[in-house]
């Protein structure tokens, strides 16, 4: 009886933590791509000389700024997570993200919008930290690990589908719903037409931070108190400046990311010999990178991230340029795909993993996740033949299925990557994963924006867009399956 009660308590604690982590992944997805349906319109508002045909590149820049910020900060966030703990990193990211989401919504120039998006990405460590915690809260139970990872990655997929829908429905309410806007908010929403979806993002961040504080257990046993953070950063910066002035770099200092008094009873910021697998002269990044399986999984994740985020950016731009759809129409299509995804994602993940195994299920996800989008020109033909409902249905189904299999691939890669490194390097590994993934996701929207603009201004149209993206998806699958 006591053993049964202990097992029940473990499952309840795990379930509560997974629910909270799901809110974090939804928030991260919302912050990343909720602006995709209106990024082009926002660019045209901030730069009045732009047109629908030329706004794609600028929309890609705004979207990419978030991932540039994440690329700069992802690895340091991983180290901070391995030192101060997982919960402080999650809560700090959520609170700072709430601030910069709010500020992005009230941007009055293209440059300020770029800066706020960069800061929003710079302060965001959610994805890497969540991938670390979801493995550690399973405490070695592979069944709980697979279930938790499937739910967390699945919620991110739901976020990737619903976030553009929410963003599109809430963007520029004075234009979309002029009779429904309360009189007291007309002045604010007229001056800042894209404030509302970003205010909702800030609210999501605060609610998620509260859930983390209440439900997520700290999984880093020996963590340094966060109250030492500012002092540690000051000491680290002062040491680096002194070293630069003296021109006498120390090899031992180069091998460490941060360093404080090792006799401190609250812990140390050194990368310990355990973290470096017995070699305290080897930087943690090198210890991770020399593992062949870890390197292969990281590269696969980065390449797949680039292609998937290119799909997320190209889809609304295609809908605007090829089909002349409004923000609300794009949001409706993505809402339908979100329903399809929510119904099919977890069942597909659990069934394929149990039937094929984790590796084969992951490669199936890579094979079907992106190449399916090459069928989108069918919707273009239907739309111009005045078959609007069938065209919208094709778009929603293809987008939903693409997300189902893409999330299957991401979940498999996350589990396999975490299993290739010891626990002491896990957060740093996910931080490194975040660096490459952020760079890939920064170039993805820019690539998609340029591709759409060139396709409709020079030659090729929708056929060139989706055949190019589909070919990239096949290339990533071949790399993963080799």
């Amino acid at each position: 009886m006591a053993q049964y009660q202990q097992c029940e308590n473990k499952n309840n604690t795990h379930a509560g933590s997974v629910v909270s982590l799901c809110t974090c992944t939804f928030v991260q997805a919302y912050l990343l791509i909720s602006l995709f349906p209106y990024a082009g319109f926002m660019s045209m508002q901030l730069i009045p000389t732009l047109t629908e045909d030329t706004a794609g590149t600028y929309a890609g820049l705004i979207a990419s700024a978030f991932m540039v910020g994440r690329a700069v900060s992802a690895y340091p966030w991983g180290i901070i997570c391995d030192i101060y703990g997982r919960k402080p990193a999650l809560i700090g990211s959520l609170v700072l993200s709430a601030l910069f989401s709010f500020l992005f919504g009230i941007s009055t120039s293209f440059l300020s919008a770029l800066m706020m998006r960069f800061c929003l990405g710079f302060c965001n460590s959610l994805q890497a930290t969540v991938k670390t915690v979801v493995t550690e809260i399973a405490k070695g139970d592979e069944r709980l690990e697979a279930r938790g990872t499937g739910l967390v990655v699945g919620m991110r997929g739901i976020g990737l589908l619903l976030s553009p829908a929410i963003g599109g429905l809430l963007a520029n309410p004075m234009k979309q719903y002029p009779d429904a806007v309360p009189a007291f908010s007309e002045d604010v929403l007229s001056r800042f037409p894209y404030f509302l979806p970003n205010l909702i993002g800030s609210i999501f961040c605060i609610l998620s931070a509260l859930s983390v504080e209440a439900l997520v257990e700290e999984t880093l046993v020996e963590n340094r108190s966060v109250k030492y953070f500012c002092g540690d950063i000051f000491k680290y910066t002062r040491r680096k400046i002194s070293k630069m002035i003296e021109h006498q770099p120390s090899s031992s200092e180069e091998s460490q990311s941060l360093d404080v008094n090792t006799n401190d009873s609250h812990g140390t910021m050194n990368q310990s010999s355990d973290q470096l697998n017995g070699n305290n002269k080897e930087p943690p990044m090198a210890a991770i990178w020399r593992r062949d399986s870890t390197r292969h999984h990281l590269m696969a994740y980065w390449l797949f991230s680039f292609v998937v985020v290119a799909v997320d950016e190209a889809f609304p731009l295609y809908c605007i340029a090829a089909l002349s759809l409004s923000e609300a129409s794009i949001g409706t299509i993505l809402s339908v795909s979100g329903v399809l995804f929510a119904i099919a994602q977890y069942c597909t993940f659990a069934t394929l993993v149990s039937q094929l195994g984790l590796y084969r299920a992951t490669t199936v996800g890579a094979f079907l996740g992106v190449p399916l989008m090459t069928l989108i020109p069918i919707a273009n033909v239907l739309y111009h033949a005045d078959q609007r409902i069938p065209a919208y249905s094709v778009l929603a189904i293809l987008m939903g299925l693409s997300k189902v299999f893409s999330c299957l691939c991401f979940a498999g890669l996350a589990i396999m990557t975490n299993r290739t490194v010891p626990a002491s390097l896990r957060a740093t590994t996910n931080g490194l994963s975040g660096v490459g993934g952020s760079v890939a996701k920064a170039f993805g929207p820019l690539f998609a924006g340029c591709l759409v603009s060139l396709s409709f201004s020079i030659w090729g149209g929708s056929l060139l867009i989706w055949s190019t993206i589909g070919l990239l998806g096949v290339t990533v699958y071949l790399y993963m399956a080799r």
Side-chain angles (χ1 to χ4, degrees), residues 5 29 58 106-107 130 135 144 180 240 255 292 297 301 328 357 363 405 432 452 481:
Q5 187 66 35
Y58 293 88
I106 58 175
S107 298
V130 166
T135 291
L144 287 179
K240 288 296 183 182
S255 70
D292 291 338
H297 291 132
Y301 172 75
T363 56
F405 290 107
L432 179 59
V452 173

PDB file of all heavy atoms in Angstrom, residues 5 29 58 106-107 130 135 144 180 240 255 292 297 301 328 357 363 405 432 452 481:
ATOM      1  N   GLN A   5       1.126   4.193  -2.785  1.00  0.00           N
ATOM      2  CA  GLN A   5       0.936   5.601  -2.479  1.00  0.00           C
ATOM      3  C   GLN A   5       2.129   6.425  -2.942  1.00  0.00           C
ATOM      4  O   GLN A   5       1.969   7.536  -3.476  1.00  0.00           O
ATOM      5  CB  GLN A   5       0.727   5.771  -0.965  1.00  0.00           C
ATOM      6  CG  GLN A   5       0.345   7.192  -0.555  1.00  0.00           C
ATOM      7  CD  GLN A   5      -1.012   7.594  -1.078  1.00  0.00           C
ATOM      8  OE1 GLN A   5      -1.920   6.769  -1.163  1.00  0.00           O
ATOM      9  NE2 GLN A   5      -1.160   8.861  -1.438  1.00  0.00           N
ATOM     10  N   ALA A  29       6.394  29.462 -27.781  1.00  0.00           N
ATOM     11  CA  ALA A  29       5.902  29.435 -29.159  1.00  0.00           C
ATOM     12  C   ALA A  29       5.123  30.706 -29.481  1.00  0.00           C
ATOM     13  O   ALA A  29       5.258  31.273 -30.582  1.00  0.00           O
ATOM     14  CB  ALA A  29       5.020  28.202 -29.372  1.00  0.00           C
ATOM     15  N   TYR A  58      11.347  42.676 -44.728  1.00  0.00           N
ATOM     16  CA  TYR A  58      11.310  43.395 -43.451  1.00  0.00           C
ATOM     17  C   TYR A  58      10.567  42.592 -42.387  1.00  0.00           C
ATOM     18  O   TYR A  58      10.945  42.609 -41.211  1.00  0.00           O
ATOM     19  CB  TYR A  58      10.657  44.765 -43.653  1.00  0.00           C
ATOM     20  CG  TYR A  58      11.483  45.691 -44.506  1.00  0.00           C
ATOM     21  CD1 TYR A  58      11.361  45.689 -45.893  1.00  0.00           C
ATOM     22  CD2 TYR A  58      12.429  46.533 -43.933  1.00  0.00           C
ATOM     23  CE1 TYR A  58      12.137  46.529 -46.686  1.00  0.00           C
ATOM     24  CE2 TYR A  58      13.211  47.380 -44.715  1.00  0.00           C
ATOM     25  CZ  TYR A  58      13.061  47.365 -46.088  1.00  0.00           C
ATOM     26  OH  TYR A  58      13.831  48.182 -46.869  1.00  0.00           O
ATOM     27  N   ILE A 106       4.253  48.382 -28.209  1.00  0.00           N
ATOM     28  CA  ILE A 106       4.099  49.833 -28.290  1.00  0.00           C
ATOM     29  C   ILE A 106       5.252  50.473 -29.074  1.00  0.00           C
ATOM     30  O   ILE A 106       5.510  51.667 -28.928  1.00  0.00           O
ATOM     31  CB  ILE A 106       3.991  50.467 -26.883  1.00  0.00           C
ATOM     32  CG1 ILE A 106       5.223  50.142 -26.030  1.00  0.00           C
ATOM     33  CG2 ILE A 106       2.720  49.984 -26.180  1.00  0.00           C
ATOM     34  CD1 ILE A 106       5.228  50.851 -24.681  1.00  0.00           C
ATOM     35  N   SER A 107       5.930  49.684 -29.900  1.00  0.00           N
ATOM     36  CA  SER A 107       7.015  50.223 -30.728  1.00  0.00           C
ATOM     37  C   SER A 107       6.433  51.195 -31.755  1.00  0.00           C
ATOM     38  O   SER A 107       5.390  50.932 -32.360  1.00  0.00           O
ATOM     39  CB  SER A 107       7.751  49.090 -31.449  1.00  0.00           C
ATOM     40  OG  SER A 107       8.348  48.211 -30.528  1.00  0.00           O
ATOM     41  N   VAL A 130      13.359  23.942 -20.438  1.00  0.00           N
ATOM     42  CA  VAL A 130      12.245  22.990 -20.368  1.00  0.00           C
ATOM     43  C   VAL A 130      12.684  21.606 -20.832  1.00  0.00           C
ATOM     44  O   VAL A 130      12.321  20.585 -20.222  1.00  0.00           O
ATOM     45  CB  VAL A 130      11.052  23.506 -21.208  1.00  0.00           C
ATOM     46  CG1 VAL A 130      10.037  22.396 -21.438  1.00  0.00           C
ATOM     47  CG2 VAL A 130      10.388  24.679 -20.513  1.00  0.00           C
ATOM     48  N   THR A 135      13.276  15.936 -18.839  1.00  0.00           N
ATOM     49  CA  THR A 135      14.024  14.691 -18.699  1.00  0.00           C
ATOM     50  C   THR A 135      14.322  14.389 -17.236  1.00  0.00           C
ATOM     51  O   THR A 135      14.180  13.254 -16.771  1.00  0.00           O
ATOM     52  CB  THR A 135      15.336  14.770 -19.493  1.00  0.00           C
ATOM     53  OG1 THR A 135      15.037  14.787 -20.898  1.00  0.00           O
ATOM     54  CG2 THR A 135      16.233  13.570 -19.210  1.00  0.00           C
ATOM     55  N   LEU A 144       7.913   7.727 -18.309  1.00  0.00           N
ATOM     56  CA  LEU A 144       7.518   9.085 -17.937  1.00  0.00           C
ATOM     57  C   LEU A 144       8.253  10.121 -18.782  1.00  0.00           C
ATOM     58  O   LEU A 144       7.686  11.157 -19.141  1.00  0.00           O
ATOM     59  CB  LEU A 144       7.803   9.331 -16.453  1.00  0.00           C
ATOM     60  CG  LEU A 144       6.890   8.641 -15.437  1.00  0.00           C
ATOM     61  CD1 LEU A 144       7.325   8.983 -14.026  1.00  0.00           C
ATOM     62  CD2 LEU A 144       5.438   9.033 -15.658  1.00  0.00           C
ATOM     63  N   ALA A 180     -16.548  46.825 -32.431  1.00  0.00           N
ATOM     64  CA  ALA A 180     -16.452  46.048 -31.195  1.00  0.00           C
ATOM     65  C   ALA A 180     -15.428  46.608 -30.211  1.00  0.00           C
ATOM     66  O   ALA A 180     -15.361  46.154 -29.073  1.00  0.00           O
ATOM     67  CB  ALA A 180     -16.096  44.596 -31.523  1.00  0.00           C
ATOM     68  N   LYS A 240      37.599  39.529 -16.297  1.00  0.00           N
ATOM     69  CA  LYS A 240      37.826  39.531 -17.740  1.00  0.00           C
ATOM     70  C   LYS A 240      38.433  40.846 -18.216  1.00  0.00           C
ATOM     71  O   LYS A 240      39.329  40.870 -19.070  1.00  0.00           O
ATOM     72  CB  LYS A 240      36.508  39.267 -18.475  1.00  0.00           C
ATOM     73  CG  LYS A 240      36.015  37.832 -18.368  1.00  0.00           C
ATOM     74  CD  LYS A 240      36.975  36.871 -19.040  1.00  0.00           C
ATOM     75  CE  LYS A 240      36.449  35.443 -19.010  1.00  0.00           C
ATOM     76  NZ  LYS A 240      37.396  34.492 -19.628  1.00  0.00           N
ATOM     77  N   SER A 255      39.214  27.951 -19.627  1.00  0.00           N
ATOM     78  CA  SER A 255      38.481  26.685 -19.618  1.00  0.00           C
ATOM     79  C   SER A 255      37.208  26.741 -18.796  1.00  0.00           C
ATOM     80  O   SER A 255      36.473  25.788 -18.726  1.00  0.00           O
ATOM     81  CB  SER A 255      39.364  25.561 -19.061  1.00  0.00           C
ATOM     82  OG  SER A 255      39.571  25.758 -17.673  1.00  0.00           O
ATOM     83  N   ASP A 292      30.199  11.949 -30.777  1.00  0.00           N
ATOM     84  CA  ASP A 292      29.667  11.835 -32.139  1.00  0.00           C
ATOM     85  C   ASP A 292      28.142  11.829 -32.175  1.00  0.00           C
ATOM     86  O   ASP A 292      27.520  12.509 -32.994  1.00  0.00           O
ATOM     87  CB  ASP A 292      30.201  10.559 -32.806  1.00  0.00           C
ATOM     88  CG  ASP A 292      31.694  10.645 -33.098  1.00  0.00           C
ATOM     89  OD1 ASP A 292      32.207  11.777 -33.177  1.00  0.00           O
ATOM     90  OD2 ASP A 292      32.326   9.580 -33.250  1.00  0.00           O
ATOM     91  N   HIS A 297      22.963  14.569 -33.415  1.00  0.00           N
ATOM     92  CA  HIS A 297      21.613  14.966 -33.036  1.00  0.00           C
ATOM     93  C   HIS A 297      21.464  16.483 -32.999  1.00  0.00           C
ATOM     94  O   HIS A 297      20.419  17.024 -33.382  1.00  0.00           O
ATOM     95  CB  HIS A 297      21.249  14.367 -31.676  1.00  0.00           C
ATOM     96  CG  HIS A 297      21.073  12.888 -31.707  1.00  0.00           C
ATOM     97  ND1 HIS A 297      21.652  12.040 -30.782  1.00  0.00           N
ATOM     98  CD2 HIS A 297      20.416  12.078 -32.566  1.00  0.00           C
ATOM     99  CE1 HIS A 297      21.338  10.787 -31.061  1.00  0.00           C
ATOM    100  NE2 HIS A 297      20.582  10.793 -32.144  1.00  0.00           N
ATOM    101  N   TYR A 301      18.919  18.661 -35.294  1.00  0.00           N
ATOM    102  CA  TYR A 301      17.959  19.593 -34.694  1.00  0.00           C
ATOM    103  C   TYR A 301      18.082  20.983 -35.312  1.00  0.00           C
ATOM    104  O   TYR A 301      17.075  21.632 -35.622  1.00  0.00           O
ATOM    105  CB  TYR A 301      18.196  19.673 -33.185  1.00  0.00           C
ATOM    106  CG  TYR A 301      17.391  20.753 -32.514  1.00  0.00           C
ATOM    107  CD1 TYR A 301      16.033  20.605 -32.283  1.00  0.00           C
ATOM    108  CD2 TYR A 301      18.001  21.948 -32.119  1.00  0.00           C
ATOM    109  CE1 TYR A 301      15.289  21.609 -31.679  1.00  0.00           C
ATOM    110  CE2 TYR A 301      17.268  22.956 -31.517  1.00  0.00           C
ATOM    111  CZ  TYR A 301      15.914  22.777 -31.294  1.00  0.00           C
ATOM    112  OH  TYR A 301      15.193  23.783 -30.709  1.00  0.00           O
ATOM    113  N   ALA A 328      -7.306  37.877 -40.167  1.00  0.00           N
ATOM    114  CA  ALA A 328      -8.333  37.030 -39.555  1.00  0.00           C
ATOM    115  C   ALA A 328      -8.506  35.712 -40.315  1.00  0.00           C
ATOM    116  O   ALA A 328      -8.675  34.650 -39.706  1.00  0.00           O
ATOM    117  CB  ALA A 328      -9.664  37.786 -39.491  1.00  0.00           C
ATOM    118  N   GLY A 357       9.782   2.271 -32.475  1.00  0.00           N
ATOM    119  CA  GLY A 357      10.938   2.660 -31.695  1.00  0.00           C
ATOM    120  C   GLY A 357      11.202   4.149 -31.869  1.00  0.00           C
ATOM    121  O   GLY A 357      10.744   4.782 -32.821  1.00  0.00           O
ATOM    122  N   THR A 363      12.681   9.608 -37.519  1.00  0.00           N
ATOM    123  CA  THR A 363      12.974   9.774 -38.944  1.00  0.00           C
ATOM    124  C   THR A 363      11.697   9.854 -39.782  1.00  0.00           C
ATOM    125  O   THR A 363      11.656  10.555 -40.790  1.00  0.00           O
ATOM    126  CB  THR A 363      13.870   8.631 -39.456  1.00  0.00           C
ATOM    127  OG1 THR A 363      13.250   7.368 -39.178  1.00  0.00           O
ATOM    128  CG2 THR A 363      15.232   8.668 -38.796  1.00  0.00           C
ATOM    129  N   PHE A 405       3.863  15.785 -37.555  1.00  0.00           N
ATOM    130  CA  PHE A 405       5.090  15.022 -37.799  1.00  0.00           C
ATOM    131  C   PHE A 405       6.344  15.818 -37.440  1.00  0.00           C
ATOM    132  O   PHE A 405       7.348  15.233 -37.018  1.00  0.00           O
ATOM    133  CB  PHE A 405       5.122  14.560 -39.257  1.00  0.00           C
ATOM    134  CG  PHE A 405       4.112  13.498 -39.573  1.00  0.00           C
ATOM    135  CD1 PHE A 405       2.972  13.784 -40.322  1.00  0.00           C
ATOM    136  CD2 PHE A 405       4.266  12.213 -39.083  1.00  0.00           C
ATOM    137  CE1 PHE A 405       2.036  12.808 -40.591  1.00  0.00           C
ATOM    138  CE2 PHE A 405       3.336  11.226 -39.348  1.00  0.00           C
ATOM    139  CZ  PHE A 405       2.211  11.524 -40.100  1.00  0.00           C
ATOM    140  N   LEU A 432      23.581  24.828 -25.742  1.00  0.00           N
ATOM    141  CA  LEU A 432      24.274  24.785 -27.026  1.00  0.00           C
ATOM    142  C   LEU A 432      23.300  24.470 -28.154  1.00  0.00           C
ATOM    143  O   LEU A 432      23.372  25.053 -29.246  1.00  0.00           O
ATOM    144  CB  LEU A 432      25.378  23.723 -26.972  1.00  0.00           C
ATOM    145  CG  LEU A 432      26.202  23.510 -28.247  1.00  0.00           C
ATOM    146  CD1 LEU A 432      26.894  24.799 -28.673  1.00  0.00           C
ATOM    147  CD2 LEU A 432      27.226  22.400 -28.033  1.00  0.00           C
ATOM    148  N   VAL A 452       9.785  34.283 -50.623  1.00  0.00           N
ATOM    149  CA  VAL A 452       8.443  34.686 -51.040  1.00  0.00           C
ATOM    150  C   VAL A 452       8.490  35.947 -51.890  1.00  0.00           C
ATOM    151  O   VAL A 452       7.837  36.039 -52.941  1.00  0.00           O
ATOM    152  CB  VAL A 452       7.541  34.889 -49.807  1.00  0.00           C
ATOM    153  CG1 VAL A 452       6.197  35.479 -50.219  1.00  0.00           C
ATOM    154  CG2 VAL A 452       7.323  33.565 -49.077  1.00  0.00           C
ATOM    155  N   ALA A 481      18.873  10.246 -41.460  1.00  0.00           N
ATOM    156  CA  ALA A 481      18.763   8.791 -41.656  1.00  0.00           C
ATOM    157  C   ALA A 481      20.069   8.133 -42.025  1.00  0.00           C
ATOM    158  O   ALA A 481      20.138   6.906 -42.106  1.00  0.00           O
ATOM    159  CB  ALA A 481      17.727   8.503 -42.755  1.00  0.00           C
TER     160      ALA A 481
END
